[in-house]
Amino acid sequence: MKIDKALEAIEALGDNHVATSATTPLREDAFKLSDKEKIASIKADVASIMETLGLDLTDDSLKGTPQRVAKMFVNEIFSGLHPQRKPDASTFSNHYKYGEMLVEKNITVYSTCEHHLLPIVGRAHVAYISNGTVVGLSKMNRIVDYYAKRPQVQERLTMQIVQDLQIVLGTKDVACVIDAKHLCVNSRGIRDIESSTVTSEFGGKFKEESVRREFLDYIKLDTTF
């Protein structure tokens, strides 16, 4: 009875994007298994799915798929789940006294929708105003990539990027906008290949209309070289 009700609740959810919190939901024993053990377990699970679908895993083209998928899950597209892989974000004193907004735009986002395990592909635009501390430019890209490499909801991803940089920089003056395509919308269900999803998170001074508008205007600049 409880199982039936749970299944009904999942069906009612449908394609809606529901994020329970800004923290990725992980069990306490999430890292009890080693990466090698996780790969072995996932390999067996993927093989079972493929066999259930009727695929012939003795075929030369398919027999290596379970191993490849398992390694991809653990070492690549979901590697951001493990806190040990979090990038070191070196900060420096703002000796040159740059007091204006710094914007890193068009950061490539490759993530995975946690509802259908299909790709999310897009761009992130991140900005901050220094209060005396600056961070290496590439670290902003790495922070985006770290949080993207896990099953995600775009709203949560946007918030996690801002919250992490606020801690690193010691300021609330951080903002992020993400514009991305969700293949769970583009390739299945409604199959709308043109639509994209835009999310934003504004902290500190970026909540002020003039500062927010300046950031959004920077995003529009043509930077084709």
Side-chain angles (χ1 to χ4, degrees):
M1 192 69 172
K2 289 183 178 179
I3 294 176
D4 290 340
K5 288 184 177 180
L7 291 174
E8 287 176 5
I10 291 172
E11 287 297 324
L13 176 62
D15 293 337
N16 294 323
H17 281 208
V18 177
T20 54
S21 73
T23 303
T24 301
L26 286 168
R27 300 195 320 271
E28 291 185 4
D29 63 347
F31 309 110
K32 182 178 180 180
L33 296 178
S34 67
D35 284 355
K36 185 176 181 180
E37 290 172 323
K38 288 182 178 181
I39 289 172
S41 179
I42 294 171
K43 175 184 176 181
D45 293 335
V46 173
S48 178
I49 291 171
M50 295 177 70
E51 287 171 351
T52 300
L53 291 171
L55 295 169
D56 181 5
L57 292 185
T58 66
D59 184 89
D60 286 342
S61 180
L62 296 177
K63 62 185 180 182
T65 299
Q67 175 74 6
R68 285 191 292 267
V69 172
K71 290 177 65 177
M72 176 185 68
F73 276 13
V74 175
N75 297 331
E76 296 179 70
I77 65 174
F78 298 143
S79 61
L81 287 170
H82 205 302
Q84 290 184 354
R85 294 192 177 98
K86 185 175 181 180
D88 293 328
S90 301
T91 56
F92 311 91
S93 295
N94 186 8
H95 293 302
Y96 28 85
K97 306 300 181 183
Y98 180 75
E100 299 299 321
M101 185 184 308
L102 186 146
V103 181
E104 184 79 359
K105 67 192 192 84
N106 294 328
I107 300 172
T108 300
V109 172
Y110 282 113
S111 192
T112 304
C113 169
E114 67 181 37
H115 297 136
H116 294 95
L117 297 185
L118 285 172
I120 299 171
V121 182
R123 301 284 183 180
H125 314 285
V126 183
Y128 72 90
I129 301 171
S130 174
N131 68 348
T133 300
V134 296
V135 67
L137 294 179
S138 67
K139 295 301 186 291
M140 298 169 72
N141 299 61
R142 294 182 190 280
I143 287 173
V144 170
D145 190 56
Y146 171 70
Y147 285 106
K149 282 194 165 71
R150 56 181 66 182
Q152 270 292 12
V153 173
Q154 187 172 322
E155 297 93 325
R156 181 195 297 134
L157 172 60
T158 311
M159 294 171 67
Q160 287 176 332
I161 292 166
V162 169
Q163 290 171 3
D164 195 305
L165 279 169
Q166 286 175 331
I167 293 171
V168 168
L169 292 162
T171 179
K172 291 291 184 182
D173 303 333
V174 180
C176 178
V177 171
I178 297 178
D179 185 2
K181 284 183 172 289
H182 293 239
L183 265 69
C184 60
V185 174
N186 302 148
S187 69
R188 58 159 301 281
I190 190 65
R191 288 179 293 180
D192 183 347
I193 64 172
E194 297 298 330
S195 65
S196 67
T197 301
V198 179
T199 52
S200 62
E201 179 75 3
F202 302 108
K205 293 179 181 178
F206 286 93
K207 291 184 180 294
E208 300 172 13
E209 184 177 353
S210 60
V211 178
R212 183 167 63 249
R213 174 51 53 193
E214 180 183 352
F215 170 47
L216 296 176
D217 285 344
Y218 281 137
I219 291 175
K220 297 176 185 177
L221 290 176
D222 184 5
T223 54
T224 302
F225 296 105

